[in-house]
Amino acid sequence: MLFLGLLLAALAGAVIATVLTVRGFRAMLRNSERSGRVRTAALLVGAGAVALYAWGLLHLGYAVMQAEDGGAGSAPVGPCRQAGPQVASRVVDYDISFLPLHFECRLSGGGTYVTSSVPGYVNPGTAGLGLVAATCGVLATTTARRARQAVT
């Protein structure tokens, strides 16, 4: 069930990224003033951030699918085998995190470790693109307000 939720969230992220991209290109074609260009940048960079996060959700969903796969050879869970047989034999459960995206294996002794199920570039890339998009959005809003105040 968790896998299905992650898959739907990734699909929703892809749809949102597509909508932001289309809006960004429409804004690019309509506006030639500075606030329009910064708004275009905010929309397109925001689309990149959402798409990268959705990509990470797909990786996380695949790891959950492997972990929930029952049958022969299902213990320890698939993604937790990366640490080697000595550590993997002590795995009792797993956990996921959405912020930052990661798949974590819980050990019988109380410790945990994070697997490489989600690529290492996803979290810093999403944070960086999100920060740039937010900055561009604030700049676009500020520039548009100043332009309106200068006209009136």
Side-chain angles (χ1 to χ4, degrees):
M1 191 62 143
L2 180 60
F3 166 72
L4 183 60
L6 288 168
L7 188 63
L8 288 175
L11 181 62
V15 169
I16 292 169
T18 302
V19 168
L20 288 174
T21 302
V22 169
R23 289 188 66 184
F25 282 123
R26 286 180 63 201
M28 184 183 351
L29 295 174
R30 288 185 182 169
N31 297 327
S32 61
E33 58 202 35
R34 182 171 186 236
S35 65
R37 290 190 303 262
V38 178
R39 181 174 184 263
T40 298
L43 288 168
L44 293 176
V45 173
V50 171
L52 191 57
Y53 190 80
W55 179 247
L57 284 174
L58 281 176
H59 283 276
L60 193 60
Y62 180 68
V64 168
M65 183 182 71
Q66 284 182 324
E68 292 180 354
D69 184 28
S74 63
V77 293
C80 296
R81 293 181 190 157
Q82 297 172 356
Q86 298 249 339
V87 177
S89 65
R90 296 181 19 227
V91 171
V92 292
D93 201 7
Y94 70 91
D95 196 16
I96 62 169
S97 171
F98 291 102
L99 207 63
L101 284 175
H102 69 260
F103 187 94
E104 188 175 74
C105 300
R106 290 191 206 150
L107 302 174
S108 59
T112 62
Y113 66 95
V114 176
T115 67
S116 62
S117 298
V118 177
Y121 59 85
V122 170
N123 290 314
T126 301
L129 289 174
L131 185 61
V132 170
T135 303
C136 287
V138 169
L139 285 174
T141 303
T142 305
T143 306
R145 279 189 192 148
R146 286 183 187 160
R148 272 188 250 128
Q149 288 175 352
V151 171
T152 58

